[in-house]
Amino acid sequence: MFAPPVQRLVTELGKLPGIGQRTAQRLAFHILGTDPEDANALAAAIREVKEKIRPCEVCFNLADEARCRICQDERRDPAIICVVEGPGDIVPIERTHEFRGRYHVLGGALSPIDGVDPEDLKVAELYRRVSESHPPVREVVIATNPTTTGEATAHHIAAALHERTPDVAVTRLASGLPVGGDLEYADEVTLGRAFAGRREIA
Ligand code: ZN
């Protein structure tokens, strides 16, 4: 229906999450109608993140240097680590201003049905980090999503930490978060309260 370059753009845009065929076409026509500078800035931004962004060597958050900004920040308490599924989950937690520790990004949640096993996540790196940390880690806050896979991941990690590093408190965000929801979409008041009311899990 379209000239091949237009069709290619529609196809690529249609691969983005939440973008159906119709929206992909609308975005493609929007890009076609913008100034060349704007369209080139978009293309360059995509190329730049793919070239420059890599996982932080400590916490696996997104970084443009060996360590991410949070790991580089001396004011952040290294004795408390908040475990999240993806780098996108750090943003809403930071917005609550409830947390001044460090993070650990797992890279997903355990889901044996989908073939996601502990080896596919950064859990071994978490256990090593917690057991080898100086100063010692005091608390690990598990902030995986309140979904079936997020809960399973939280319990798996809590059990492993209790066994390996029994002196470290393991907490989970308090309820109040929408069940089955995504941390990324939680409002900051709810998420802030969930943080303040976190409790130890067995
Ligand atoms: Zn980091």
Side-chain angles (χ1 to χ4, degrees):
M1 187 152 66
F2 303 121
V6 179
Q7 187 55 56
R8 266 198 294 280
L9 182 57
V10 172
T11 304
E12 292 308 318
L13 291 169
K15 291 178 185 171
L16 298 172
I19 306 291
Q21 180 68 12
R22 207 174 276 221
T23 308
Q25 279 178 27
R26 199 156 45 79
L27 289 172
F29 284 118
H30 172 81
I31 291 167
L32 281 167
T34 57
D35 292 333
E37 303 93 88
D38 287 339
N40 284 329
L42 174 63
I46 292 171
R47 205 173 300 118
E48 194 182 11
V49 291
K50 296 311 287 180
E51 279 168 7
K52 295 196 180 156
I53 301 299
R54 56 192 159 168
C56 168
E57 64 180 12
V58 177
C59 75
F60 305 97
N61 182 18
L62 302 177
D64 58 0
E65 290 174 67
R67 294 188 178 200
C68 73
R69 305 220 165 162
I70 293 170
C71 287
Q72 284 183 37
D73 187 345
E74 300 278 329
R75 293 164 304 176
R76 307 283 308 221
D77 186 358
I80 168 163
I81 296 176
C82 178
V83 177
V84 293
E85 292 183 24
D89 297 326
I90 292 178
V91 180
I93 294 173
E94 287 296 288
R95 270 204 307 261
T96 68
H97 301 290
E98 280 287 340
F99 183 65
R100 297 302 298 160
R102 313 277 176 110
Y103 290 93
H104 191 91
V105 179
L106 295 172
L110 292 175
S111 180
I113 290 174
D114 306 307
V116 184
D117 298 310
E119 310 83 74
D120 301 309
L121 305 177
K122 302 294 184 193
V123 287
E125 289 83 350
L126 173 68
Y127 306 149
R128 198 175 316 128
R129 193 177 161 195
V130 171
S131 61
E132 293 173 4
S133 171
H134 297 287
V137 173
R138 196 171 62 236
E139 179 182 354
V140 173
V141 186
I142 304 182
T144 50
N145 289 324
T147 55
T148 315
T149 55
E151 290 298 338
T153 309
H155 287 286
H156 180 92
I157 291 174
L161 286 173
H162 278 309
E163 200 181 304
R164 286 158 211 254
T165 44
D167 294 340
V168 177
V170 181
T171 57
R172 180 94 173 104
L173 298 193
S175 54
L177 291 171
V179 172
D182 228 313
L183 220 59
E184 223 174 319
Y185 303 116
D187 72 277
E188 56 217 68
V189 176
T190 307
L191 188 54
R193 274 193 204 135
F195 230 100
R198 65 188 185 272
R199 56 202 152 65
E200 284 209 49
I201 58 172

